[in-house]
Amino acid sequence: MKGDPRASRAGNILHTYVQLNCTAEWIAGIDFTDANATTARIAAEFDGWAPELTALITDGDTAPVLRAIYALPIEHRWDRVPGVTLLGDAAHLMSPFAGEGANLAMFDGAELGEAIAAHPEDVEAALSAYEEALFPHSEAAATVAHQNHELFCFDDRAPFGLIDILVSKERFSP
């Protein structure tokens, strides 16, 4: 490798991500086909910030891309529908701030498999048992995801809550 090996790994590209807590109406008011207007509108949300930071938004070579974060309500439930159930994000869509998405989907699959194995002659009983266990488990993970999302991104101390966790020696203690 020639030159700075750190730069070559990333293809000499720096990606900047900006997260805003805004309404769907605010987002709908932005024409994402107009890169300059979109960039200006997003940068305006950071008025008064250090120019070195806002330049990460305004001086990029590519147009902003909307990547909305969706979540179901923490206590999301549904009424039993015979022969049908949900698992993974369909059952408990939440922000990625608990780090549980793929784990929950795999756990759901295992729990559903165990419920079916425990009730091989009664699919409805299996689905009911699966959902009965799913809801409290999903609620706990969604609560953590919501709390972390607020702490890391929108709390008055953000992003210092995340930094505190990353540098905490206790986090890595057995």
Side-chain angles (χ1 to χ4, degrees):
M1 285 175 97
K2 294 181 180 178
D4 183 349
R6 294 169 296 175
S8 63
R9 283 188 207 128
N12 293 323
I13 297 171
L14 174 66
H15 294 275
T16 301
Y17 295 87
V18 173
Q19 187 169 12
L20 298 170
N21 189 8
C22 53
T23 65
E25 293 78 22
W26 185 89
I27 294 169
I30 298 175
D31 178 5
F32 280 87
T33 63
D34 183 343
N36 291 332
T38 301
T39 299
R41 180 65 187 97
I42 292 168
E45 294 298 311
F46 298 91
D47 187 42
W49 285 47
E52 297 84 359
L53 294 175
T54 57
L56 294 171
I57 299 168
T58 59
D59 295 353
D61 294 332
T62 58
V65 176
L66 174 63
R67 290 191 173 94
I69 296 176
Y70 298 98
L72 289 167
I74 290 173
E75 296 176 358
H76 179 69
R77 303 273 193 282
W78 60 83
D79 294 330
R80 275 286 318 118
V81 174
V84 178
T85 194
L86 300 172
L87 58 105
D89 281 352
H92 41 66
L93 180 65
M94 63 188 76
S95 73
F97 291 92
E100 291 292 334
N103 294 335
L104 281 174
M106 290 187 296
F107 183 77
D108 291 350
E111 290 288 299
L112 181 56
E114 286 184 1
I116 293 170
H119 305 279
E121 304 299 323
D122 189 352
V123 173
E124 284 311 307
L127 296 178
S128 292
Y130 160 73
E131 288 177 0
E132 188 175 315
L134 169 93
F135 292 133
H137 187 77
S138 296
E139 184 176 331
T143 298
V144 170
H146 176 75
Q147 289 170 341
N148 287 350
H149 193 186
E150 291 299 310
L151 176 67
F152 300 159
C153 300
F154 299 116
D155 186 80
D156 290 343
R157 290 193 64 244
F160 297 106
L162 175 60
I163 293 168
D164 291 346
I165 288 171
L166 294 175
V167 300
S168 170
K169 291 182 181 6
E170 291 80 32
R171 177 176 184 261
F172 299 102
S173 298

